[in-house]
Amino acid sequence: MGEVRRAALSADPIALEDHLAAVDDPRMGAETSFVGRVRDHDPDATGAVAALEYTSHPDAERILGEIAARAAERTGSLVAVSHRIGRLAVGDAAVVIAVASPHRAEAFDACRAVIEDIKRELPVWKRQIEADGTTAWKGIGG
């Protein structure tokens, strides 16, 4: 019964509302979501974070679909997920996930599985840009 309704990389802004609409289904009694945003600080930064630049491997969208499919199949959930690429300002959504399931436990489980697998497996890397122009690559090597 699980199904991936969206699994996409996008250079354009991504919206939670679009993802919630993608998993809207009268068979489902629970919805959960996750929005990962660019924050203005990082423990490894010497100053304020001004932006992040995301880049991806050509297979990243396919792999994102596989991550979503595993969670959907295991939990019987509907999944919609997107990851931004390109330059994002502080406050911009970098990852958006929406999940609908018959029950809340499965919705939470699927949502957590998707974000954790994205962090472990998705070949997307970010270059952190600090306010003073200092840059550092993050996520290289997993």
Side-chain angles (χ1 to χ4, degrees):
M1 174 157 103
E3 179 183 341
V4 176
R5 297 272 177 98
R6 173 181 295 174
L9 295 184
S10 177
D12 297 321
I14 50 179
L16 175 59
E17 298 80 22
D18 296 338
H19 291 71
L20 289 171
V23 300
D24 186 30
D25 189 300
R27 298 172 300 156
M28 303 299 162
E31 291 180 354
T32 190
S33 62
F34 173 84
V35 178
R37 296 190 183 277
V38 177
R39 62 180 183 246
D40 66 357
H41 66 281
D42 183 84
D44 297 328
T46 57
V49 174
L52 294 177
E53 290 179 350
Y54 287 91
T55 187
S56 64
H57 186 276
D59 290 336
E61 193 165 73
R62 176 186 56 79
I63 293 167
L64 185 60
E66 292 170 359
I67 289 169
R70 280 196 315 260
E73 182 178 320
R74 184 176 57 76
T75 62
S77 300
L78 306 177
V79 177
V81 56
S82 296
H83 199 302
R84 282 280 305 272
I85 55 172
R87 188 180 179 108
L88 282 69
V90 170
D92 286 348
V95 179
V96 173
I97 304 166
V99 174
S101 299
H103 305 283
R104 69 181 175 271
E106 293 86 354
F108 282 114
D109 288 349
C111 195
R112 177 176 285 281
V114 171
I115 192 58
E116 296 300 337
D117 287 351
I118 283 172
K119 296 301 275 182
R120 269 192 305 274
E121 300 173 29
L122 191 65
V124 170
W125 306 279
K126 61 185 174 186
R127 186 168 71 117
Q128 183 171 276
I129 303 162
E130 295 181 36
D132 69 358
T134 302
T135 65
W137 283 98
K138 303 288 186 171
I140 301 296

